[in-house]
């Protein structure tokens, strides 16, 4: 094994002082995270600070608690064999403070904690460092959790200096001298991410570099438990599988069953998901929660870093758990339990919930998106009837985003499937119709909508009929048959008013408002959207802020319609309130966000901020779906007026900048006036190119720039040519305008 220790700079800096202050420190983390290596490196670095020496005790081969004492005595010296360990440490402390490292304590927690307590009483100058996959819970214990190395995805060439990549490069260099990290940095980043930044797994992978290139290694990680081993070694860390097996064997049988079931979930889980997958174990809620928290303490399960109340399992541990589930012949049954649970959500969503009920359902499923995908794939392989229903659920989640092609492909399979029920085929057809309209195929939308309506009509299911008829409303509107769409909507509204279906009524009123606006009846549209919003609000918690009350796709869609109508009525205050809510709510509804950007462009133009209006209009047009009445009419007017006000050169720069921004950047700009820093926005520009562009914006000639930057005029000209090419700018003037618009000072002035 290489002597080079890579990374963990913060821990290496903090550990010596922590040991001196707290006397007992435990490094705690999952299998393969590098606890032993960090302990060894720390012991090596602090050796000079401990005149009594550094003692190392490996407990991995010890199976009885009473053997810990003799192991500690033996670590001090062979002459201490048979002596009482407390006397051994009491004698040893006479030479000065010393450090005792106890490695791999997880299988002897209580015994290790007990003897540590005794030893600390006998030798106050002793410092103890332990490694364990679970805290010892000894008196005075200070825990330093160790996490996998952070992801470097998206860092480009800068990933070369990241700990995970450096570790891979170091270990690859051990077996392949001259290994070219720079040539493979992108693939190495992918490898490290696939391995969750787990140091042991990264080392095993890198040590295959004498046989495989990184590109050849990457696909082999699908079989990581077979592939990632240390050749010629038989110890605890001889393979990724053996390292995980050690932790797994310490679990109770019930904990093993719970852990294995949860390992099918690529998207993590909360207690509700866990309960659905383990209901056959007949665990009470309290018992299940205790098992989950115990698994966290044992480093088999991790708390999700960004989602409160949610857990995740590292991919290497998931692979092990799925293998255990397969071996116990529980995989298929667990997959069906997951599908049963997900299908229950689709059934509830199909009943047109509204208000907080819709928000709760949508937000739960949005979090479970990766698990929905897994369940769908599993049911497809099993040829299970749940497959079609899960297609509908996944498609609901996908169609609120910007990418519709996957949803339409899946829905098309349901529409044409002879095994799908009429309800599923009608529902799938209705979704496909709306998506076709968004993708710019109004004729296809109308055909699909009518087919869905024909399927739904004889079903005597008002929820399915409503879904199909609302798709007809949308399709007619997109084909400029606004009157036809309004007629269908009026009939639905009359029918729904006679039933207790507030969610269905709210949906239809929202679409009716859109059609009334297109027909020019702004007052009628305003009354319809006001009623739809009031129905939603009646079923929402009024003590919560708007961004929480409207955190579902239908609610944000209503606010988009409301904002557009407020603008048409000259109510900019309401338009701004609705727009801000859409952009700050945690649910991402692509159409609503693009609509909010369009509203922001109109409001900016009204305030005379024409460059901002052009930027936002360009962003909304770039990211928006086709056939949006408000965008087509309002934005075209904004663009004409703003271009005339600022001139063609500035208009072109603002438009180009708007087209380069991501949705996230456009949202931030709309809310704060903050543009991304130029080096974030255009990573293709080098530092020198940024310098040249700034001097151009200051009005300097090539000769003046060359003198100021100590380069030749020819080099300045070459930089300018590359800048224009990279940013798609046509002239020196455009470079100056671009730099002026994006410079930090300009953003500060705007803010």
């Amino acid at each position: 094994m290489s002597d080079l220790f890579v990374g963990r700079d913060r821990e290496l800096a903090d550990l010596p002082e922590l040991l001196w202050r707290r006397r007992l420190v435990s490094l705690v983390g999952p299998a393969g995270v590098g606890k032993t290596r960090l302990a060894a490196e720390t012991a090596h670095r602090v050796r000079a600070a401990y005149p009594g020496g550094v003692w190392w005790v490996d407990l991995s081969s010890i199976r009885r608690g009473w053997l810990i004492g003799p192991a500690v005595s033996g670590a001090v010296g062979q002459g201490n064999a048979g002596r009482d360990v407390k006397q051994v440490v009491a004698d040893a402390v006479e030479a000065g403070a010393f450090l005792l490292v106890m490695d791999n304590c997880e299988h002897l927690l209580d015994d290790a904690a007990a003897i540590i307590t005794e030893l600390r009483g006998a030798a106050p100058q002793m410092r103890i460092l332990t490694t364990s996959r679970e805290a010892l819970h000894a008196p005075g214990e200070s825990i330093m959790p160790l996490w996998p190395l952070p992801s470097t995805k998206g860092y480009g060439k800068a990933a070369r200096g990241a700990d995970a990549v450096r570790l891979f490069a170091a270990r690859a260099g051990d077996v392949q001298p001259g290994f070219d990290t720079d040539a493979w940095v992108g693939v190495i980043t992918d490898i490290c991410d696939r391995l969750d930044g787990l140091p042991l797994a990264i080392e095993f992978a890198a040590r295959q570099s004498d046989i495989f290139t990184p590109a050849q290694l990457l696909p082999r990680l699908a079989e990581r438990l077979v592939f990632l081993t240390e050749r010629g070694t038989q110890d605890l860390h001889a393979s990724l599988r053996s390292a995980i097996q050690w932790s797994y064997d310490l679990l109770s049988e019930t904990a093993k069953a719970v852990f294995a079931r949860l390992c099918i979930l690529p998207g993590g889980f909360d207690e509700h998901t866990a309960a659905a997958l383990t209901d056959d174990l007949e665990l009470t809620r309290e018992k299940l929660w205790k098992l989950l928290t115990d698994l966290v303490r044992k480093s088999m399960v991790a708390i999700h870093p960004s989602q409160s109340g949610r857990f995740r399992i590292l991919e290497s541990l998931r692979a092990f758990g799925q293998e255990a589930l397969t071996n116990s012949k529980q995989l298929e049954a667990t997959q069906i339990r997951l599908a049963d649970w997900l299908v229950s959500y689709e059934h509830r969503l199909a009943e047109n919930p509204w208000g907080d009920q819709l928000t709760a359902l949508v937000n739960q499923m949005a979090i479970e998106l990766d698990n929905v995908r897994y369940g769908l794939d599993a049911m497809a392989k099993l040829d299970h009837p749940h497959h079609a229903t899960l297609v509908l659920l996944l498609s609901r989640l996908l169609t609120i985003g910007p990418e519709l092609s996957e949803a339409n492909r899946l829905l098309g399979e349901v529409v044409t499937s002879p095994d799908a029920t009429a309800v599923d085929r009608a529902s799938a057809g209705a979704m496909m119709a709306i998506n076709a309209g968004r993708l710019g195929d109004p004729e296809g939308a109308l055909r699909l909508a009518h087919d869905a309506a024909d399927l739904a009509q004889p079903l005597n299911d008002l929820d399915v009929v409503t879904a199909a008829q609302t798709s007809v409303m949308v399709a007619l509107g997109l084909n400029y048959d606004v009157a036809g769409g309004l007629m269908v909507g009026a009939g639905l509204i009359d029918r729904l008013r006679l039933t207790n279906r507030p969610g269905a009524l709210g949906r239809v009123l929202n679409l009716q408002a859109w059609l009334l606006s297109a027909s020019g009846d702004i007052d009628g549209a305003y009354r319809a959207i006001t009623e739809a919003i009031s129905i939603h609000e009646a079923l929402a918690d009024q003590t919560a802020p708007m961004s929480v009350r409207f955190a579902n796709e239908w609610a944000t869609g209503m606010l988009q319609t409301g904002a557009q109508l407020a603008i048409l009525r000259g109510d900019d205050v309401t338009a701004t309130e609705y727009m801000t809510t859409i952009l700050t709510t945690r649910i991402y509804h692509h159409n609503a966000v693009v609509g909010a950007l369009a509203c922001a462009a109109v409001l900016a133009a009204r305030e005379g901020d024409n460059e901002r209006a052009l930027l936002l209009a360009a962003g909304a047009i770039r990211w928006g779906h086709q056939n949006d009445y408000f965008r087509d009419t309002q934005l075209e007017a904004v663009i004409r007026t703003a271009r005339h006000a600022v001139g063609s050169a500035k208009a072109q720069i603002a438009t180009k900048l708007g087209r380069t921004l991501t949705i996230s950047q456009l949202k931030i700009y709309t809310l704060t006036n903050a543009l991304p820093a130029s080096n974030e926005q255009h990573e293709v520009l080098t530092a020198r190119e940024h310098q040249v562009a700034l001097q151009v914006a200051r009005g300097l000639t090539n000769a003046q720039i060359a003198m100021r930057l100590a380069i030749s005029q020819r080099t300045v000209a070459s930089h300018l040519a590359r800048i224009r090419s990279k940013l798609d700018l046509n002239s020196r003037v455009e470079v100056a305008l671009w730099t002026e618009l994006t410079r930090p000072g300009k953003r500060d002035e705007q803010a």
Side-chain angles (χ1 to χ4, degrees):
M1 186 170 285
S2 170
D3 291 330
L4 177 64
F5 185 88
V6 178
R8 302 292 190 196
D9 294 336
R10 182 184 64 79
E11 290 86 351
L12 285 170
D14 291 347
L15 259 177
E17 182 181 352
L18 188 60
L19 276 167
W20 199 254
R21 285 191 294 106
R22 300 304 300 271
R23 296 180 60 199
L24 169 61
V25 178
S26 293
L27 300 177
V28 177
V33 81
K35 301 181 294 295
T36 298
R37 292 295 302 273
L38 177 60
E41 183 68 15
T42 299
H44 170 71
R45 295 190 183 196
V46 303
R47 186 175 297 275
Y50 290 94
V54 175
W55 308 343
W56 186 280
V57 182
D58 182 2
L59 300 182
S60 61
S61 60
I62 294 176
R63 293 293 183 267
R64 297 288 184 269
W66 62 269
L67 292 174
I68 297 176
V72 172
S73 296
V76 180
Q78 291 184 352
N80 292 315
R83 296 184 62 204
D84 179 73
V85 66
K86 288 186 289 185
Q87 188 60 51
V88 170
V89 299
D91 293 345
V93 81
E94 294 179 4
F98 60 83
L99 174 65
L100 171 65
V101 182
M102 296 176 63
D103 190 29
N104 298 307
C105 297
E106 51 272 328
H107 59 305
L108 298 168
L109 292 174
D110 293 341
D111 295 306
I115 198 167
I116 284 172
T117 301
E118 292 181 17
L119 296 181
R120 290 175 67 187
Q125 288 182 279
M126 178 178 63
R127 299 295 184 269
I128 303 174
L129 176 63
T130 74
T131 75
S132 177
R133 299 176 194 185
E134 182 178 0
L136 275 63
H137 303 294
E141 179 185 27
S142 182
I143 299 170
M144 177 177 281
L146 284 192
W147 309 110
L149 301 175
S151 170
T152 54
K153 200 72 171 176
Y155 280 61
K157 291 289 185 181
R160 176 68 174 83
D163 285 352
V165 176
R166 289 173 54 224
L167 177 61
F168 186 99
R171 301 302 178 255
D174 291 344
V175 297
Q176 183 71 18
F179 178 79
D180 189 353
T181 306
D182 289 332
W184 295 105
V185 65
V187 182
I188 294 172
T189 296
D190 289 340
I191 290 172
C192 294
D193 277 1
R194 286 277 299 277
L195 295 173
D196 286 315
L198 203 61
L200 183 67
I202 291 172
E203 292 196 6
F204 284 155
R207 290 180 184 280
Q208 310 288 335
S209 296
D210 58 338
I211 303 173
F212 303 108
T213 67
Q216 293 169 330
L217 277 169
L218 187 58
R220 286 172 167 79
L221 299 184
E223 300 294 331
R224 66 187 70 193
L225 295 180
V226 175
F227 184 64
L228 299 182
T229 63
E230 184 71 79
R231 289 168 286 183
T233 306
Q234 299 298 322
D235 65 14
L236 174 62
H237 298 106
S239 70
L240 186 59
R241 184 197 301 279
S242 64
I244 298 171
Q245 185 78 51
W246 171 261
S247 294
Y248 181 77
D249 288 344
L250 296 176
L251 301 177
S252 68
E253 292 305 312
T254 303
K256 288 178 181 177
V258 170
F259 171 76
R261 284 160 170 75
L262 297 176
C263 283
I264 71 169
L265 299 169
F269 54 91
D270 59 17
E271 61 176 317
H272 303 297
T273 327
L277 266 62
T278 59
D279 62 355
D280 63 310
L281 300 177
E282 299 182 352
L283 301 171
T284 64
R285 181 179 179 183
E286 292 75 15
K287 176 66 173 176
L288 176 60
W289 184 254
K290 183 178 184 303
L291 284 167
L292 291 177
T293 53
D294 282 348
L295 287 169
V296 171
R297 294 189 184 101
K298 296 178 186 301
S299 302
M300 297 295 284
V301 169
I303 295 173
H304 199 285
S306 61
Q307 296 174 352
S308 177
R310 200 160 176 86
F311 306 89
R312 64 186 291 263
I313 300 176
L314 298 180
E315 286 301 304
S316 297
L317 293 170
R318 282 190 62 235
F320 182 93
Q322 290 181 71
E323 189 177 88
L325 198 62
T326 300
N327 292 338
S328 65
K329 298 184 172 19
Q330 287 294 316
L331 177 60
E332 182 177 321
T334 304
Q335 291 171 333
I336 292 173
R337 276 191 290 274
L338 172 64
D340 287 341
W341 182 67
L342 295 173
V343 162
S344 72
Y345 275 86
E346 167 55 27
H347 288 161
R348 281 180 279 173
L349 286 168
E351 293 172 354
N352 293 312
W354 210 234
D356 286 349
Q357 183 186 13
L358 175 59
T359 299
L361 290 171
V362 169
N363 280 274
Q364 177 72 49
M365 285 299 98
I367 293 172
E368 301 288 348
L369 179 61
D370 289 338
N371 296 334
V372 175
R373 290 184 186 277
Y374 174 85
L376 177 65
D377 291 342
M379 294 304 98
K381 291 176 182 176
L382 295 175
D383 196 23
H384 195 281
H386 281 341
H387 176 259
T389 310
L390 290 183
V391 166
L392 298 179
L393 178 59
L394 178 59
S395 298
R396 288 185 195 276
L397 302 174
L398 294 176
T399 52
I400 67 174
E403 179 55 57
L404 304 178
S405 57
E406 179 186 2
N408 269 14
R409 177 183 61 79
L410 293 168
L411 291 167
E413 294 174 0
V414 173
V415 168
T416 58
S417 171
D419 297 326
T421 66
V423 168
D424 286 342
R425 285 188 287 130
S427 300
M431 289 188 203
M432 281 190 74
I434 293 175
N435 289 347
R438 291 173 177 171
L439 292 170
D441 182 13
E443 295 85 1
L446 190 59
R447 183 185 66 256
L448 287 163
H450 281 310
D451 288 346
D454 289 342
L455 276 170
Q457 193 59 43
L459 296 177
N460 196 30
D461 185 327
L462 187 52
D463 290 319
V464 178
V465 169
T466 300
Q469 292 289 0
T470 52
S471 74
V472 173
M473 291 174 65
V474 172
L476 288 171
L478 295 177
N479 282 278
Y480 302 101
D481 184 1
V482 176
L486 287 170
M487 185 179 298
V488 174
L492 266 178
I493 289 170
D494 288 342
R495 188 174 179 183
L496 291 169
R497 288 195 192 282
L498 299 175
T499 67
N500 186 26
R501 283 182 169 80
L505 179 59
R507 286 164 165 80
V508 178
L509 284 168
N510 180 35
L511 293 175
Q512 195 79 338
W514 171 65
L515 291 167
L516 286 166
S517 174
S519 75
D521 184 359
I522 304 304
D523 290 339
Y526 177 74
R527 287 193 298 271
I529 199 61
T530 299
E531 183 180 357
I533 291 175
S534 67
I535 293 172
H536 180 84
E537 289 282 65
L539 297 171
D541 180 3
Q542 294 303 303
T543 65
M546 283 189 70
S547 60
V548 174
R549 299 201 308 272
F550 287 84
N552 66 70
E553 82 279 18
W554 272 100
T556 53
M558 283 191 305
L559 292 184
Q560 175 203 347
T561 305
Q564 293 170 356
L565 287 168
I567 286 175
L568 293 173
R569 289 166 56 87
D571 184 358
D572 291 0
V573 173
T574 298
T576 300
E577 180 184 34
Y578 287 175
M579 175 196 74
T580 302
T581 300
I582 292 169
L583 297 179
T584 55
T585 190
R586 65 179 179 178
I587 191 76
Y588 178 75
H589 182 197
H590 185 73
N591 271 7
V593 168
V594 172
L597 296 176
C599 289
V602 176
L603 293 171
R606 284 186 178 176
E607 295 168 0
D609 194 345
N610 291 295
E611 288 181 62
R612 174 180 168 85
L614 286 165
L615 187 155
L616 290 170
I621 290 171
R622 180 203 170 188
W623 291 105
H625 294 304
Q626 298 183 26
N627 293 318
D628 185 296
Y629 284 115
F630 183 82
R631 190 197 73 194
D632 293 345
T633 56
Q634 297 293 319
L635 290 189
E636 287 174 9
V638 164
I639 291 168
R640 286 195 304 270
T641 303
R643 287 182 66 87
H644 178 74
V646 303
S648 60
K650 285 188 176 181
Q652 185 176 5
I653 296 302
T655 299
K656 285 184 176 180
L657 178 55
R659 290 172 183 164
T660 66
L661 298 183
T662 65
I663 282 286
S664 294
Q665 290 169 339
L666 286 164
K667 288 171 66 176
I668 292 170
Y669 178 65
T670 303
L671 295 168
T672 68
N673 273 338
L675 284 167
S678 56
N679 63 332
E680 297 172 354
Q681 184 183 335
H682 299 295
E683 292 182 351
V684 290
L685 291 189
T686 66
R688 179 64 84 183
E689 287 166 353
H690 284 299
Q691 290 177 325
V692 170
L694 182 60
Q695 304 311 314
V696 170
R698 290 171 176 168
L700 274 63
T701 65
N702 281 11
Q704 291 170 323
I705 295 172
M707 183 176 296
R708 178 164 294 191
L709 300 182
I711 56 178
S712 70
Q713 292 187 49
R714 179 176 296 179
T715 301
V716 173
S718 297
H719 283 315
L720 275 172
R722 285 195 294 272
I723 291 168
R724 289 196 299 269
S725 175
K726 290 178 178 181
L727 302 183
D728 189 27
L729 302 175
N730 298 319
S731 67
R732 188 185 193 91
V733 172
E734 290 190 5
V735 172
L737 290 170
W738 179 280
T739 307
E740 174 65 18
L741 185 59
T742 59
R743 69 181 174 86
K746 176 73 170 179
R747 294 194 300 277
D748 294 341
E749 291 162 13
Q750 290 176 330

